[in-house]
Amino acid sequence: MQATNTKNFYLAYIACLNAQDWSRLGDFVEADVRHNDRPLGLAGYRAMLENDFARIPDLRYEVELLVADGNCVGSRLRFHYSPQGEFLGLPVNGRRVVFSENVFYELRDGKIARVWSVIDKSAIEAQLA
Amino acid sequence: MQATNTKNFYLAYIACLNAQDWSRLGDFVEADVRHNDRPLGLAGYRAMLENDFARIPDLRYEVELLVADGNCVGSRLRFHYSPQGEFLGLPVNGRRVVFSENVFYELRDGKIARVWSVIDKSAIEAQLA
């Protein structure tokens, strides 16, 4: 894909997540998708996302920075929300936290096949301190 | 810059870091560079890197994934090294840890002007557990 097409594809994927339109997730994500080297597959990936939205009612993906290059996408996502209970092992308990996720995606046949995500845990710890 | 040129520029920057060739850092980094929204400037950025290499004698940058798009670079860096004392507030104390950093760079006039870095702290915690 051209970089512009790849970016448009990715923004449509993010819109699908924010709409929680899970029936369309397979339009964007490969059946054998891996997330941080875990072989989740599409069903496991969907379960992970559904669980995120269940625990975090005000979850919303905001793309702060986007770089694309053929079959690779890099994105800096910004979140400000209030997870219930523990989040990344931290006692957030409904407090509002603001943090970023830097994430890369490898596309195969025009869909997301691999995801490597890192969440800024140190930023959350600083807000809870 | 074309994506290929941007990638070559970035790999030359990484080679400069690994060579600890600080006299050339200004060829790659803007005088008013910001790192995670901190206005370090070139001198502060160099001091940060020199301090990293002083605390971590076996520090070496390895580019695992690279995406470039004109004036933006995304990179997943892989590290396996043995920091002395605390690292990100964790008692590493010379143990060998393996982890990734997902980082984005904004270029201005062909040099790095802004850096947004997230280190996979959870991965390090899992190795110390």
Side-chain angles (χ1 to χ4, degrees), chain A residues 63-81:
Chain A
V63 179
E64 199 170 61
L65 191 149
L66 179 57
V67 53
D69 175 14
N71 69 341
C72 190
V73 175
S75 171
R76 182 167 168 90
L77 297 165
R78 187 81 170 167
F79 298 99
H80 34 90
Y81 58 53

Side-chain angles (χ1 to χ4, degrees), chain B residues 39-58:
Chain B
L40 294 187
L42 180 58
Y45 197 78
R46 173 175 172 166
M48 176 185 74
L49 292 166
E50 285 186 315
N51 183 52
D52 288 344
F53 276 93
R55 285 188 312 139
I56 311 164
D58 55 351

Side-chain angles (χ1 to χ4, degrees), chain A residues 3-77:
Chain A
T4 308
N5 293 343
T6 307
K7 284 185 180 178
N8 288 339
F9 162 83
Y10 180 73
L11 294 173
Y13 161 72
I14 291 296
C16 173
L17 299 192
N18 282 330
Q20 301 182 51
D21 189 0
W22 306 125
S23 66
R24 290 191 57 226
L25 191 64
D27 295 347
F28 301 99
V29 175
E30 278 276 20
D32 63 348
V33 64
R34 298 178 71 92
H35 182 274
N36 285 352
D37 293 324
R38 293 174 301 162
L40 294 187
L42 179 57
Y45 197 77
R46 174 176 170 163
M48 176 184 74
L49 292 167
E50 286 186 316
N51 183 52
D52 287 346
F53 276 93
R55 286 188 310 137
I56 311 163
D58 55 350
L59 173 56
R60 189 171 173 80
Y61 289 73
E62 284 179 21
V63 179
E64 199 170 61
L65 191 149
L66 179 57
V67 53
D69 175 14
N71 69 341
C72 190
V73 175
S75 171
R76 182 167 168 90
L77 297 165

Side-chain angles (χ1 to χ4, degrees), chain B residues 90-111:
Chain B
L90 300 173
V92 178
N93 295 324
R95 281 181 63 179
R96 189 169 182 276
V97 287
V98 181
F99 63 93
S100 296
E101 173 184 351
N102 284 3
V103 54
F104 293 100
Y105 307 82
E106 184 182 272
L107 308 190
R108 195 175 65 230
D109 300 329
K111 293 187 185 179

